[in-house]
Amino acid sequence: MSDHSTLKRYLGNRKGSLGLAILVVLVFMAVLAPVISPYKATQIDPTAILQPPSAKHLLGTNEVGEDILSLIIWGSRISLLVGFLATFVAVLVGTAVGVVAGYIGGFTDEALMRITDFFLVIPAVVLAIVVAAVLGNTLLNVILIIGLLSWPSTARVVRSATLVYKQMPFVEASKCAGAGTAYILRRHILPNVLPLVYANTSLTIANSIFTQAALVFLGVGDINDISWGQILHFAYASGAITAGDYWYAIPPGLMIVVAVLGFALTGYALDEVLNPKLKAGVVFESA
Amino acid sequence: MGRYIAKRALTSIITFFAVLVLTFILFRLLPGNPVLLLFRNPQLTQQQIAQLSAQFGLNRPLYEQFILFIVNVFRGNWGLSFYYRAPVTQVLFPALLNSIILILPSTILAILIGVGLGVISGWKRNTLTDMAVLSSSLVLYAIPTFWLGILLIMLAVRIGGIPVSGMLSIGVSFTSPTQYLGNLLRHLLLPMITLTLVTLGQFSIIMRTSVINELTEDYVVAAYAKGMSESRLIRKHVVPNALLPTVSIIAISIGTVVAGAVLTETVFSWPGVGTLIYDSIARRDYPVLQGAFLIVALSVIISNFIADLVYAYLDPRVKYS
Amino acid sequence: MEVNPLSEYLVSGVNLTKHFESRRSPIEFLTGRRPPPIRAVDGVNIEIQRGEILALVGESGSGKTTLGRLLLLLEKPTSGEVWFDGQRIDNVGSRTLRAYRRRMQMIYQDPYGSLNPKLRVSEIVSEPLRVNGIEVKKDRLAEYLAVSGLRPPEKFLDRYPHELSGGQRQRVAIARAMILEPEFVVADEPVSMLDVSLRSEILGVIKRFNQMLKTSFLLITHDLAVAAQVSSRIMVMYLGRVVEEGDTLGVLRRPKHPYTQTLLSVVPRLGGSLPKTLPKGEIPSAKNIPSGCRFHTRCAYALPVCSTDEPELRLVDGSHVSCHFAEQILSGSTKQSTS
Amino acid sequence: MSLLDIENLKVYFATRAGIVRAVDGVDLSVGTGEVLGLAGESGSGKTTLGYALMRVLPRNAKLDGRIIFEGRDLLSLSATEFNRVRGREIAMVFQGSMNSLNPVVRVEDQVAEPLILHGGLSEDEAKKRARELLAEVGVSEDKAKSYPHELSGGLKQRVAIAMAISTRPKLLIADEPTTALDVVTQAQILRLISELRDRFGLSVIMISHDLSLLSEVCDRLAIMYAGKIVEVGSKVEVVNTPEHPYTQALLASIPSVERVGEDSTSIPGEPPDPINPPSGCRFMPRCAYARSECKEFNGYLYELSSTHRAACVLVGGKPIERVPR
């Protein structure tokens, strides 16, 4: 399948193009934050404390007089950064574990899968809270923790795909021709397995953004780094919620929803496009 | 089936053992671990330090410390809470009960509604109904638990009369069990809605995918060719098969349900394990944190094992092998 | 390494046996008992001469695929020896084996699974050259594709497998197997997943390579019509044992073993009719092999002795047959029990 | 009188690449108690034709023409009305028995299902009847409670057949009923279908790529190429005096135990693209007798005898102006 037609089919997918559009907007927002944000993130307007939206502050202000819109624009940086970096760690570890377990099999597989099951079963958010509480709340720690807790799903997907391709005749034919393990992995296993990883990656980013927001909301992670979760943390902690200050509480949450949706949609669309079901199915009559 | 259950039980035991190892590493071995912090307390007397060392076996080799740790866990000797100055188990178990009151009905509701919606969505795929169900499921999946809680709190405050925090009204003495129960249920309302909604979306998506996959199977065409209606086909043939992968995936995602529960409890100050974890972090109450982590992990492992049993019951290929 | 320079055969298997252990149930594990192994190949002697096409025939479950894989050492024999070009190769190290590997190749049944969907035809066919550090010449690729019947070859070099039909894929798979000019090729049901109308053409490709490169083929098939078209010799297997072996014409015109007769009777013939007698039931499991003659449970001629004494492979009328009554069956003096 | 008359049947699929004309104007009839063999290469549309008769087609399919079954046009029935025909009067045995049974339902329950749906039997009666049916097709009592994965391929195919004939249908469509089965099992299954025909006067459409196999069990043979019937006739007519060049090539390509060491000839080229089939005779690009008139040919089936027809301009030298009815 040429890359051209894959792209075309992706863009033809409604979920895919919506997801991609969201991602493009988000990335622009993060990159251009200094340009598009009306104020510096931490710039305080002492005349406007907890003000509802106005011409001066389009989304109002918080309890110290910071502009919510600016906070949200700057906050996209941390949310996306954590999402991408944590996922990078997760996919790297997950793919390596999955391929090794699936291809080598036997005891190695059994041991690696027990470890994977373990991490899959352990509630990641709870473990992250505990680890962060013990290790300290730096951004790097949060990224590493989320990354190192998110690889199991990738590992499982990669392993089961590796198992399928490992026993394909074309792999044995390659062995018969004299190919070594490294060659087979590089040439035959990975090119077939990676399309599954792409879709999974997108979902992992969504989950990482999610987890980061949850952690910061609970006060785990550096409370001084501006992120959507952090804005919500202060909104909740300052009592703005029960006071009904909707402008403070709604926009950051909405951003998380939109970002997670964007990556999730992209992931589902990638899965549909890259890993199409061979059979059309569908038997019901329309005639 | 016996072989399958034995295997899964063994896996669960191994996983729990791994949890113990991880807990030991986290709380005892990592730099800056709580036990070390404990000793840095300048107010401790020489005698107290000696007593603590003996309690944790710090003067013994590492493997003995580990064995001591395991023995203590199984004896129910989970240490003393710094904050409550009471045994951790005494602090934990009431909280665990409260968590179960919230999580169990929410999860059951979420599974029932989610799976039901997934079936409809998959059956009517690419129709308006499907679009509606799928997009709401996706949005529910994308909503952060705590934010949904926040939205509901704001809504409830505006409406008034719906409790947004705690499990029972404070300072009220209940005269009858019905009154008590009624108060509890009113407090349960918002947290339960939150937890149900945020977990429901993913179950619906999983079931939809599963139903669509089943619909491409040859046996479905063959069954349809017998001359049955679509609804019977879905009921008798598609759903029983589609449930199998769904049960496995739901089992795996029990961890996320628990995470959702922690956040829900925190937002609504529901006095469960989640809130306890949140409070313990702020209070640096590491013994409680360690205990809470163990209890959460154990619950997830047990839930997984139950899901495995359900799977074995549903799939004759496991049941009769 | 054991050497036998006098061997006239290119490949031979001596007393080859392959038993697969089945998994133990918890009860068996606790009591220390082992479940009966799957006796896929159970003491087979096979020789393949240089340049010949030997057809290995039997139902699935007869052990023919396992035997083919044992000869290529893709499976490790439980016991017995594999000899190639005068040298014993089942006990050599992996490095030595790798040098032999490229002299022996395999062609698979499934034309869909045997080609990597992510690679172009040119990459697939040139892979054996590349992994062996041989320079890839476009002419050579084109030549092998053309001999395989993909003409003009230039049209196919840049295609992906999903752009090819089943028959075309199988041609690519054959070209890949042949490009190293192997001396021995195991073709495992190379045409059974293809339309009948394509089969003779693909078999023709195998025959062309056999003549062009003097390659020996072990052609595994369940269809005697396929064996008839290209093989010079036929070996019939049943439940892990050889039941009949002889030159193609002899086996097809004067089958001596009741099992061979059965296989021959069920081959569909144009304008023919269904055979009057069919063996009862299905091939038994290789876990639970019948005593005596392994075929006696389904044999129309079976007598009490067949369930107790296992017949030896012996020479009858130019073929090797393992049946107590081969002579009588051949002369038609034995009655069939009605089934 | 014929049981089934297919008139100008078309099945088109709307796909990304264009419209696939899988079945493109097929006329065919099946008599009561007759076994009709439908032969063709992969992609010729023979399986789609079978699916169209059952009206089990993907959503992107468009169906046109008439399927007259016992005087009724099946295509004019509503989906609910057709549910009373499907599985009751017309039943199908699908290719790949291993996949056509529900993996989590006991086989006796699967066989009983049509009886509950159409026969109005209670669950217990239906199960009892199902066990009898299974015994009739050679699945022993002790296997009736099995799940599909516990049975061999041959037994699963017998279950599929029991399921199909449980309501005593008048027409059975058997799509490649023996692929993936062993040669001996294949013969056993074919014999079973023949016996069922003899016992119940069942009409059968048997679909296969293997003309020699069809010729052993069928009364009449129809040859399909690129969505069209190119030749139809009695078994003897088609096998012994094939008139269409494609039928001739197909017959000559079949390996045979009778011809040891002989190369069978093969059909050159590949089947046409179903989205852009060649105009005129679709076999022309591969035909040894192709001539200029073939480009104008409209696919008319010329009558060679009361039973034998072939769609080729060379047949009988009759003028090609004759239009199809």
Side-chain angles (χ1 to χ4, degrees), chain C residues 60 165 195-196 201 228-229 253 269 271 275-276 279 281-282, chain D residues 41-42 152 182 188 191 209 215-216 253 258 261-262 266 270:
Chain C
S60 56
S165 68
D195 278 357
V196 166
E201 174 74 12
Q229 193 181 329
R253 293 287 180 266
R269 284 159 220 249
K276 295 206 171 52
E282 295 174 342
Chain D
E41 293 170 285
S42 314
S152 68
D182 261 308
Q188 291 169 337
R191 172 180 288 175
H209 63 86
S215 77
E216 288 196 326
S253 72
E258 314 294 342
E262 279 175 48
S266 58
E270 294 285 322

PDB file of all heavy atoms in Angstrom, chain C residues 60 165 195-196 201 228-229 253 269 271 275-276 279 281-282, chain D residues 41-42 152 182 188 191 209 215-216 253 258 261-262 266 270:
ATOM      1  N   SER C  60      -4.312 -35.145   5.877  1.00  0.00           N
ATOM      2  CA  SER C  60      -3.716 -34.356   6.951  1.00  0.00           C
ATOM      3  C   SER C  60      -3.780 -35.190   8.217  1.00  0.00           C
ATOM      4  O   SER C  60      -4.736 -35.922   8.442  1.00  0.00           O
ATOM      5  CB  SER C  60      -4.438 -33.024   7.125  1.00  0.00           C
ATOM      6  OG  SER C  60      -5.793 -33.232   7.346  1.00  0.00           O
ATOM      7  N   SER C 165      -2.755 -11.973  -7.633  1.00  0.00           N
ATOM      8  CA  SER C 165      -3.720 -13.041  -7.375  1.00  0.00           C
ATOM      9  C   SER C 165      -3.009 -14.187  -6.655  1.00  0.00           C
ATOM     10  O   SER C 165      -1.780 -14.220  -6.558  1.00  0.00           O
ATOM     11  CB  SER C 165      -4.295 -13.538  -8.692  1.00  0.00           C
ATOM     12  OG  SER C 165      -3.287 -14.195  -9.431  1.00  0.00           O
ATOM     13  N   ASP C 195      -7.126 -22.549  -7.220  1.00  0.00           N
ATOM     14  CA  ASP C 195      -8.153 -23.136  -8.076  1.00  0.00           C
ATOM     15  C   ASP C 195      -7.565 -24.295  -8.866  1.00  0.00           C
ATOM     16  O   ASP C 195      -6.401 -24.258  -9.279  1.00  0.00           O
ATOM     17  CB  ASP C 195      -8.649 -22.079  -9.074  1.00  0.00           C
ATOM     18  CG  ASP C 195      -9.685 -21.169  -8.448  1.00  0.00           C
ATOM     19  OD1 ASP C 195     -10.040 -21.411  -7.284  1.00  0.00           O
ATOM     20  OD2 ASP C 195     -10.117 -20.232  -9.127  1.00  0.00           O
ATOM     21  N   VAL C 196      -8.408 -25.294  -9.127  1.00  0.00           N
ATOM     22  CA  VAL C 196      -7.964 -26.449  -9.898  1.00  0.00           C
ATOM     23  C   VAL C 196      -7.358 -26.013 -11.232  1.00  0.00           C
ATOM     24  O   VAL C 196      -6.349 -26.550 -11.683  1.00  0.00           O
ATOM     25  CB  VAL C 196      -9.158 -27.395 -10.129  1.00  0.00           C
ATOM     26  CG1 VAL C 196      -8.839 -28.415 -11.190  1.00  0.00           C
ATOM     27  CG2 VAL C 196      -9.511 -28.101  -8.830  1.00  0.00           C
ATOM     28  N   GLU C 201      -0.525 -25.430 -14.020  1.00  0.00           N
ATOM     29  CA  GLU C 201       0.422 -24.389 -14.412  1.00  0.00           C
ATOM     30  C   GLU C 201       1.510 -24.215 -13.343  1.00  0.00           C
ATOM     31  O   GLU C 201       2.691 -24.127 -13.650  1.00  0.00           O
ATOM     32  CB  GLU C 201      -0.370 -23.093 -14.603  1.00  0.00           C
ATOM     33  CG  GLU C 201       0.434 -21.860 -14.882  1.00  0.00           C
ATOM     34  CD  GLU C 201       0.998 -21.817 -16.279  1.00  0.00           C
ATOM     35  OE1 GLU C 201       0.580 -22.641 -17.110  1.00  0.00           O
ATOM     36  OE2 GLU C 201       1.883 -20.962 -16.515  1.00  0.00           O
ATOM     37  N   ALA C 228       0.529 -37.310  -9.761  1.00  0.00           N
ATOM     38  CA  ALA C 228       0.617 -37.964 -11.070  1.00  0.00           C
ATOM     39  C   ALA C 228       1.264 -37.054 -12.098  1.00  0.00           C
ATOM     40  O   ALA C 228       2.028 -37.507 -12.949  1.00  0.00           O
ATOM     41  CB  ALA C 228      -0.781 -38.362 -11.539  1.00  0.00           C
ATOM     42  N   GLN C 229       0.985 -35.773 -12.006  1.00  0.00           N
ATOM     43  CA  GLN C 229       1.443 -34.900 -13.070  1.00  0.00           C
ATOM     44  C   GLN C 229       2.957 -34.686 -13.085  1.00  0.00           C
ATOM     45  O   GLN C 229       3.555 -34.637 -14.156  1.00  0.00           O
ATOM     46  CB  GLN C 229       0.738 -33.543 -12.983  1.00  0.00           C
ATOM     47  CG  GLN C 229       0.955 -32.739 -14.263  1.00  0.00           C
ATOM     48  CD  GLN C 229       0.293 -31.385 -14.207  1.00  0.00           C
ATOM     49  OE1 GLN C 229      -0.728 -31.209 -13.578  1.00  0.00           O
ATOM     50  NE2 GLN C 229       0.910 -30.431 -14.894  1.00  0.00           N
ATOM     51  N   ARG C 253      -1.165 -47.177 -11.098  1.00  0.00           N
ATOM     52  CA  ARG C 253      -1.844 -48.187 -11.917  1.00  0.00           C
ATOM     53  C   ARG C 253      -2.114 -49.462 -11.119  1.00  0.00           C
ATOM     54  O   ARG C 253      -3.103 -50.139 -11.332  1.00  0.00           O
ATOM     55  CB  ARG C 253      -0.992 -48.535 -13.146  1.00  0.00           C
ATOM     56  CG  ARG C 253      -0.833 -47.412 -14.146  1.00  0.00           C
ATOM     57  CD  ARG C 253      -2.108 -47.158 -14.952  1.00  0.00           C
ATOM     58  NE  ARG C 253      -1.889 -46.062 -15.893  1.00  0.00           N
ATOM     59  CZ  ARG C 253      -2.180 -44.792 -15.634  1.00  0.00           C
ATOM     60  NH1 ARG C 253      -2.725 -44.456 -14.482  1.00  0.00           N
ATOM     61  NH2 ARG C 253      -1.948 -43.850 -16.533  1.00  0.00           N
ATOM     62  N   ARG C 269     -12.818 -37.597 -10.687  1.00  0.00           N
ATOM     63  CA  ARG C 269     -12.502 -37.783 -12.106  1.00  0.00           C
ATOM     64  C   ARG C 269     -13.579 -37.141 -12.941  1.00  0.00           C
ATOM     65  O   ARG C 269     -14.760 -37.276 -12.642  1.00  0.00           O
ATOM     66  CB  ARG C 269     -12.444 -39.279 -12.435  1.00  0.00           C
ATOM     67  CG  ARG C 269     -11.169 -39.939 -11.947  1.00  0.00           C
ATOM     68  CD  ARG C 269     -11.404 -41.439 -11.846  1.00  0.00           C
ATOM     69  NE  ARG C 269     -10.753 -41.944 -10.642  1.00  0.00           N
ATOM     70  CZ  ARG C 269      -9.685 -42.727 -10.668  1.00  0.00           C
ATOM     71  NH1 ARG C 269      -9.194 -43.134 -11.814  1.00  0.00           N
ATOM     72  NH2 ARG C 269      -9.129 -43.117  -9.554  1.00  0.00           N
ATOM     73  N   GLY C 271     -16.370 -36.553 -15.183  1.00  0.00           N
ATOM     74  CA  GLY C 271     -17.427 -37.410 -15.684  1.00  0.00           C
ATOM     75  C   GLY C 271     -17.515 -38.740 -14.959  1.00  0.00           C
ATOM     76  O   GLY C 271     -18.284 -39.608 -15.345  1.00  0.00           O
ATOM     77  N   PRO C 275     -16.925 -43.018  -5.497  1.00  0.00           N
ATOM     78  CA  PRO C 275     -16.528 -44.405  -5.259  1.00  0.00           C
ATOM     79  C   PRO C 275     -17.621 -45.148  -4.497  1.00  0.00           C
ATOM     80  O   PRO C 275     -18.355 -44.567  -3.706  1.00  0.00           O
ATOM     81  CB  PRO C 275     -15.261 -44.267  -4.415  1.00  0.00           C
ATOM     82  CG  PRO C 275     -15.284 -42.894  -3.871  1.00  0.00           C
ATOM     83  CD  PRO C 275     -16.024 -42.060  -4.854  1.00  0.00           C
ATOM     84  N   LYS C 276     -17.697 -46.463  -4.774  1.00  0.00           N
ATOM     85  CA  LYS C 276     -18.764 -47.247  -4.141  1.00  0.00           C
ATOM     86  C   LYS C 276     -18.471 -47.471  -2.664  1.00  0.00           C
ATOM     87  O   LYS C 276     -19.355 -47.433  -1.828  1.00  0.00           O
ATOM     88  CB  LYS C 276     -18.904 -48.583  -4.860  1.00  0.00           C
ATOM     89  CG  LYS C 276     -19.361 -48.368  -6.290  1.00  0.00           C
ATOM     90  CD  LYS C 276     -20.098 -49.577  -6.830  1.00  0.00           C
ATOM     91  CE  LYS C 276     -20.735 -49.242  -8.166  1.00  0.00           C
ATOM     92  NZ  LYS C 276     -19.746 -48.643  -9.125  1.00  0.00           N
ATOM     93  N   PRO C 279     -13.763 -45.622   3.158  1.00  0.00           N
ATOM     94  CA  PRO C 279     -13.372 -46.083   4.484  1.00  0.00           C
ATOM     95  C   PRO C 279     -14.267 -45.454   5.536  1.00  0.00           C
ATOM     96  O   PRO C 279     -14.792 -44.363   5.352  1.00  0.00           O
ATOM     97  CB  PRO C 279     -11.932 -45.591   4.625  1.00  0.00           C
ATOM     98  CG  PRO C 279     -11.802 -44.503   3.649  1.00  0.00           C
ATOM     99  CD  PRO C 279     -12.751 -44.798   2.539  1.00  0.00           C
ATOM    100  N   GLY C 281     -15.281 -43.584   8.841  1.00  0.00           N
ATOM    101  CA  GLY C 281     -14.778 -42.560   9.756  1.00  0.00           C
ATOM    102  C   GLY C 281     -13.601 -41.765   9.238  1.00  0.00           C
ATOM    103  O   GLY C 281     -13.372 -41.663   8.037  1.00  0.00           O
ATOM    104  N   GLU C 282     -12.886 -41.214  10.192  1.00  0.00           N
ATOM    105  CA  GLU C 282     -11.790 -40.327   9.851  1.00  0.00           C
ATOM    106  C   GLU C 282     -10.478 -40.885  10.380  1.00  0.00           C
ATOM    107  O   GLU C 282     -10.470 -41.821  11.190  1.00  0.00           O
ATOM    108  CB  GLU C 282     -12.053 -38.947  10.451  1.00  0.00           C
ATOM    109  CG  GLU C 282     -13.276 -38.294   9.831  1.00  0.00           C
ATOM    110  CD  GLU C 282     -13.647 -36.983  10.502  1.00  0.00           C
ATOM    111  OE1 GLU C 282     -13.190 -36.739  11.624  1.00  0.00           O
ATOM    112  OE2 GLU C 282     -14.383 -36.210   9.875  1.00  0.00           O
TER     113      GLU C 282
ATOM    114  N   GLU D  41     -13.726 -19.986 -11.677  1.00  0.00           N
ATOM    115  CA  GLU D  41     -12.511 -19.657 -10.929  1.00  0.00           C
ATOM    116  C   GLU D  41     -12.850 -18.715  -9.777  1.00  0.00           C
ATOM    117  O   GLU D  41     -13.938 -18.144  -9.734  1.00  0.00           O
ATOM    118  CB  GLU D  41     -11.510 -18.949 -11.856  1.00  0.00           C
ATOM    119  CG  GLU D  41     -10.955 -19.821 -12.959  1.00  0.00           C
ATOM    120  CD  GLU D  41     -10.173 -19.001 -13.983  1.00  0.00           C
ATOM    121  OE1 GLU D  41     -10.807 -18.313 -14.795  1.00  0.00           O
ATOM    122  OE2 GLU D  41      -8.945 -19.053 -13.951  1.00  0.00           O
ATOM    123  N   SER D  42     -11.874 -18.486  -8.872  1.00  0.00           N
ATOM    124  CA  SER D  42     -12.063 -17.489  -7.817  1.00  0.00           C
ATOM    125  C   SER D  42     -12.381 -16.157  -8.472  1.00  0.00           C
ATOM    126  O   SER D  42     -11.749 -15.792  -9.458  1.00  0.00           O
ATOM    127  CB  SER D  42     -10.789 -17.297  -6.999  1.00  0.00           C
ATOM    128  OG  SER D  42     -10.238 -18.512  -6.658  1.00  0.00           O
ATOM    129  N   SER D 152     -14.032 -32.599  14.532  1.00  0.00           N
ATOM    130  CA  SER D 152     -13.138 -32.499  13.376  1.00  0.00           C
ATOM    131  C   SER D 152     -13.839 -31.722  12.261  1.00  0.00           C
ATOM    132  O   SER D 152     -15.046 -31.496  12.302  1.00  0.00           O
ATOM    133  CB  SER D 152     -12.795 -33.895  12.883  1.00  0.00           C
ATOM    134  OG  SER D 152     -13.950 -34.490  12.335  1.00  0.00           O
ATOM    135  N   ASP D 182     -10.248 -33.178   3.998  1.00  0.00           N
ATOM    136  CA  ASP D 182      -9.379 -34.168   3.388  1.00  0.00           C
ATOM    137  C   ASP D 182     -10.070 -34.891   2.248  1.00  0.00           C
ATOM    138  O   ASP D 182     -11.290 -34.938   2.209  1.00  0.00           O
ATOM    139  CB  ASP D 182      -8.978 -35.184   4.453  1.00  0.00           C
ATOM    140  CG  ASP D 182      -7.618 -34.856   4.973  1.00  0.00           C
ATOM    141  OD1 ASP D 182      -6.728 -34.713   4.126  1.00  0.00           O
ATOM    142  OD2 ASP D 182      -7.452 -34.732   6.190  1.00  0.00           O
ATOM    143  N   GLN D 188     -16.822 -38.502   1.384  1.00  0.00           N
ATOM    144  CA  GLN D 188     -17.910 -38.855   2.301  1.00  0.00           C
ATOM    145  C   GLN D 188     -18.989 -37.780   2.315  1.00  0.00           C
ATOM    146  O   GLN D 188     -20.183 -38.086   2.305  1.00  0.00           O
ATOM    147  CB  GLN D 188     -17.364 -39.048   3.727  1.00  0.00           C
ATOM    148  CG  GLN D 188     -16.486 -40.286   3.871  1.00  0.00           C
ATOM    149  CD  GLN D 188     -15.744 -40.313   5.201  1.00  0.00           C
ATOM    150  OE1 GLN D 188     -15.530 -39.280   5.817  1.00  0.00           O
ATOM    151  NE2 GLN D 188     -15.332 -41.502   5.627  1.00  0.00           N
ATOM    152  N   ARG D 191     -20.992 -37.767  -0.908  1.00  0.00           N
ATOM    153  CA  ARG D 191     -21.938 -38.871  -0.934  1.00  0.00           C
ATOM    154  C   ARG D 191     -23.144 -38.546  -0.046  1.00  0.00           C
ATOM    155  O   ARG D 191     -24.284 -38.814  -0.415  1.00  0.00           O
ATOM    156  CB  ARG D 191     -21.287 -40.155  -0.450  1.00  0.00           C
ATOM    157  CG  ARG D 191     -22.350 -41.233  -0.289  1.00  0.00           C
ATOM    158  CD  ARG D 191     -21.790 -42.523   0.173  1.00  0.00           C
ATOM    159  NE  ARG D 191     -21.025 -43.149  -0.888  1.00  0.00           N
ATOM    160  CZ  ARG D 191     -20.335 -44.256  -0.696  1.00  0.00           C
ATOM    161  NH1 ARG D 191     -20.301 -44.824   0.477  1.00  0.00           N
ATOM    162  NH2 ARG D 191     -19.675 -44.802  -1.690  1.00  0.00           N
ATOM    163  N   HIS D 209     -14.825 -24.681  -7.537  1.00  0.00           N
ATOM    164  CA  HIS D 209     -13.889 -24.367  -8.616  1.00  0.00           C
ATOM    165  C   HIS D 209     -13.421 -25.656  -9.293  1.00  0.00           C
ATOM    166  O   HIS D 209     -12.734 -25.628 -10.293  1.00  0.00           O
ATOM    167  CB  HIS D 209     -12.690 -23.588  -8.076  1.00  0.00           C
ATOM    168  CG  HIS D 209     -11.874 -24.358  -7.088  1.00  0.00           C
ATOM    169  ND1 HIS D 209     -10.862 -25.204  -7.459  1.00  0.00           N
ATOM    170  CD2 HIS D 209     -11.962 -24.449  -5.744  1.00  0.00           C
ATOM    171  CE1 HIS D 209     -10.342 -25.755  -6.373  1.00  0.00           C
ATOM    172  NE2 HIS D 209     -11.001 -25.323  -5.319  1.00  0.00           N
ATOM    173  N   SER D 215     -18.511 -32.808 -11.546  1.00  0.00           N
ATOM    174  CA  SER D 215     -18.990 -33.752 -12.557  1.00  0.00           C
ATOM    175  C   SER D 215     -19.313 -35.114 -11.949  1.00  0.00           C
ATOM    176  O   SER D 215     -20.021 -35.906 -12.540  1.00  0.00           O
ATOM    177  CB  SER D 215     -17.957 -33.903 -13.679  1.00  0.00           C
ATOM    178  OG  SER D 215     -16.889 -34.733 -13.254  1.00  0.00           O
ATOM    179  N   GLU D 216     -18.807 -35.402 -10.766  1.00  0.00           N
ATOM    180  CA  GLU D 216     -19.103 -36.686 -10.142  1.00  0.00           C
ATOM    181  C   GLU D 216     -20.474 -36.721  -9.482  1.00  0.00           C
ATOM    182  O   GLU D 216     -21.046 -37.783  -9.320  1.00  0.00           O
ATOM    183  CB  GLU D 216     -18.037 -37.029  -9.090  1.00  0.00           C
ATOM    184  CG  GLU D 216     -16.704 -37.411  -9.715  1.00  0.00           C
ATOM    185  CD  GLU D 216     -15.791 -38.116  -8.740  1.00  0.00           C
ATOM    186  OE1 GLU D 216     -15.830 -37.772  -7.545  1.00  0.00           O
ATOM    187  OE2 GLU D 216     -15.056 -39.010  -9.156  1.00  0.00           O
ATOM    188  N   SER D 253      -7.363 -28.060 -18.209  1.00  0.00           N
ATOM    189  CA  SER D 253      -6.376 -27.628 -17.212  1.00  0.00           C
ATOM    190  C   SER D 253      -6.369 -28.507 -15.970  1.00  0.00           C
ATOM    191  O   SER D 253      -5.513 -28.354 -15.111  1.00  0.00           O
ATOM    192  CB  SER D 253      -6.685 -26.179 -16.794  1.00  0.00           C
ATOM    193  OG  SER D 253      -7.850 -26.156 -15.999  1.00  0.00           O
ATOM    194  N   GLU D 258      -5.214 -40.021 -14.482  1.00  0.00           N
ATOM    195  CA  GLU D 258      -5.163 -40.861 -15.682  1.00  0.00           C
ATOM    196  C   GLU D 258      -3.966 -40.501 -16.550  1.00  0.00           C
ATOM    197  O   GLU D 258      -3.491 -41.310 -17.336  1.00  0.00           O
ATOM    198  CB  GLU D 258      -6.440 -40.672 -16.532  1.00  0.00           C
ATOM    199  CG  GLU D 258      -7.748 -40.697 -15.758  1.00  0.00           C
ATOM    200  CD  GLU D 258      -8.040 -42.052 -15.154  1.00  0.00           C
ATOM    201  OE1 GLU D 258      -7.426 -43.036 -15.600  1.00  0.00           O
ATOM    202  OE2 GLU D 258      -8.858 -42.118 -14.213  1.00  0.00           O
ATOM    203  N   GLY D 261       2.429 -37.946 -15.690  1.00  0.00           N
ATOM    204  CA  GLY D 261       3.572 -37.277 -16.305  1.00  0.00           C
ATOM    205  C   GLY D 261       3.204 -36.332 -17.427  1.00  0.00           C
ATOM    206  O   GLY D 261       4.061 -35.644 -17.965  1.00  0.00           O
ATOM    207  N   GLU D 262       1.931 -36.277 -17.789  1.00  0.00           N
ATOM    208  CA  GLU D 262       1.561 -35.358 -18.873  1.00  0.00           C
ATOM    209  C   GLU D 262       1.290 -33.980 -18.292  1.00  0.00           C
ATOM    210  O   GLU D 262       0.667 -33.854 -17.261  1.00  0.00           O
ATOM    211  CB  GLU D 262       0.269 -35.826 -19.544  1.00  0.00           C
ATOM    212  CG  GLU D 262       0.458 -36.916 -20.551  1.00  0.00           C
ATOM    213  CD  GLU D 262      -0.893 -37.382 -21.074  1.00  0.00           C
ATOM    214  OE1 GLU D 262      -1.717 -36.508 -21.436  1.00  0.00           O
ATOM    215  OE2 GLU D 262      -1.124 -38.601 -21.091  1.00  0.00           O
ATOM    216  N   SER D 266      -2.818 -25.006 -19.652  1.00  0.00           N
ATOM    217  CA  SER D 266      -3.386 -24.055 -18.718  1.00  0.00           C
ATOM    218  C   SER D 266      -4.027 -22.917 -19.495  1.00  0.00           C
ATOM    219  O   SER D 266      -3.786 -22.756 -20.691  1.00  0.00           O
ATOM    220  CB  SER D 266      -2.305 -23.518 -17.807  1.00  0.00           C
ATOM    221  OG  SER D 266      -1.304 -22.932 -18.598  1.00  0.00           O
ATOM    222  N   GLU D 270      -4.916 -13.785 -16.918  1.00  0.00           N
ATOM    223  CA  GLU D 270      -5.603 -13.713 -15.636  1.00  0.00           C
ATOM    224  C   GLU D 270      -7.066 -13.353 -15.875  1.00  0.00           C
ATOM    225  O   GLU D 270      -7.386 -12.729 -16.880  1.00  0.00           O
ATOM    226  CB  GLU D 270      -4.961 -12.614 -14.774  1.00  0.00           C
ATOM    227  CG  GLU D 270      -3.543 -12.892 -14.352  1.00  0.00           C
ATOM    228  CD  GLU D 270      -3.460 -13.942 -13.250  1.00  0.00           C
ATOM    229  OE1 GLU D 270      -4.334 -13.931 -12.361  1.00  0.00           O
ATOM    230  OE2 GLU D 270      -2.527 -14.767 -13.282  1.00  0.00           O
TER     231      GLU D 270
END
